[in-house]
Amino acid sequence: METLTLKPNVQLVNKGLICPYCGGRTTLSPGRKYTAKDGLVWVCEPCFAWTGVFKGTTVANGRVANKELREARWYVNYYFSPFWTEGHMTKWQAFKWLAGKLRIPQKDCRLGWLDLKQCNKVIEVSRKFLNH
């Protein structure tokens, strides 16, 4: 499989530092302003898009997401996590399978990096696999 070389702006989008909707820089803010959870979030105020950070860090979980993408991510987790939590395959095998379905390199197959179109594809193929 061909390796995808990310452009710097895509890398910054995936790191939560640039908003994929308006192209503006994001800022680090208290999470309580946007979500019920404590902690920090990277946010684009004009787009009302945000993402959390890995616990104890300021490293974004992925790209900032608007309401539609946040909802899609919830469904991605709902349908995709049973692959390994219910023993259908290991987590590593699940991500390898998913990368093939999305036609992206496995190293770029991170749920927090997925856009809305990719999330919808994950939901579709996961539901088929699980017969839902």
Side-chain angles (χ1 to χ4, degrees):
M1 185 177 285
E2 184 177 302
T3 302
L4 176 69
T5 305
L6 297 174
K7 296 177 183 175
N9 61 335
V10 174
Q11 290 174 339
L12 293 175
V13 165
N14 286 343
K15 290 180 179 182
L17 302 176
I18 298 287
C19 177
Y21 307 106
C22 72
R25 297 240 349 106
T26 58
T27 56
L28 199 55
S29 289
R32 283 279 180 191
K33 187 174 177 183
Y34 302 93
T35 179
K37 297 178 183 177
D38 286 325
L40 298 171
V41 294
W42 284 99
V43 63
C44 176
E45 296 264 353
C47 297
F48 200 63
W50 72 83
T51 189
V53 300
F54 290 105
K55 190 174 182 175
T57 74
T58 59
V59 177
N61 291 331
R63 61 178 54 208
V64 296
N66 63 12
K67 184 178 180 182
E68 189 176 20
L69 183 55
R70 288 191 302 274
E71 184 176 301
R73 283 181 178 171
W74 186 90
Y75 283 102
V76 164
N77 282 303
Y78 180 82
Y79 288 110
F80 185 60
S81 2
F83 282 51
W84 62 90
T85 60
E86 294 177 3
H88 299 287
M89 55 183 81
T90 67
K91 194 171 185 177
W92 183 87
Q93 290 168 327
F95 276 91
K96 182 177 181 181
W97 176 86
L98 183 59
K101 294 293 182 183
L102 294 175
R103 297 184 176 160
I104 61 174
Q106 190 172 353
K107 71 177 186 61
D108 294 332
C109 191
R110 301 180 76 176
L111 300 182
W113 289 2
L114 301 178
D115 61 23
L116 184 60
K117 183 178 176 184
Q118 290 170 318
C119 283
N120 288 331
K121 178 73 173 176
V122 173
I123 295 164
E124 175 192 335
V125 298
S126 297
R127 288 183 69 182
K128 280 184 185 175
F129 180 87
L130 297 170
N131 296 313
H132 287 160

